[in-house]
Amino acid sequence: MQKALMHKAQGFWHTHRVKRLVREQLGGGVQCLVSVRETVCTDPGCEGPATEIRIVSLGFREISALIHKQASDIRQNDILTIF
C-alpha cells in the first residue's frame, strides 16, 4: 500500500512539473488549460509509455502533442518540440 501511494505521488509531481514546463514555454501572461497524462502508445513504432499534452486557449484553440516518454523523463527540450 505504501509503495503504491508513493508511486502515485511521484506521478502527480511529474505531471505538474511538465505542466509548469509548458506554462514557462508559453509565457507568464498566457491564460490556458494545460492537461498532461501518461498513456500507452498504440503506434507500432513506439515502444512503451507516452505522455499526452493538451493545451486549450480561452478561445478554444487546441494544441495536442504526444511525447514518447514517461512524464518523469520529459525535459525542457522535449517541450520545445511541441512549439
Side-chain angles (χ1 to χ4, degrees):
M1 184 68 151
Q2 181 78 8
K3 199 169 201 170
L5 185 59
M6 180 62 102
H7 181 71
K8 281 188 179 229
Q10 288 173 343
F12 182 78
W13 188 87
H14 284 294
T15 296
H16 283 276
R17 181 184 62 80
V18 172
K19 285 182 181 184
R20 181 179 44 82
L21 291 173
V22 169
R23 290 186 183 283
E24 286 174 0
Q25 183 62 36
L26 290 171
V30 176
Q31 294 184 0
C32 60
L33 298 172
V34 179
S35 170
V36 175
R37 73 179 182 100
E38 287 187 337
T39 185
V40 176
C41 184
T42 58
D43 182 0
C46 174
E47 295 181 17
T51 301
E52 180 184 29
I53 299 172
R54 293 178 62 201
I55 304 161
V56 181
S57 71
L58 293 180
F60 298 108
R61 184 174 160 257
E62 183 177 328
I63 298 171
S64 183
L66 189 66
I67 298 177
H68 298 279
K69 295 181 177 182
Q70 293 186 86
S72 61
D73 296 332
I74 293 177
R75 302 290 177 254
Q76 186 68 37
N77 288 341
D78 300 312
I79 300 301
L80 291 173
T81 63
I82 296 172
F83 302 96

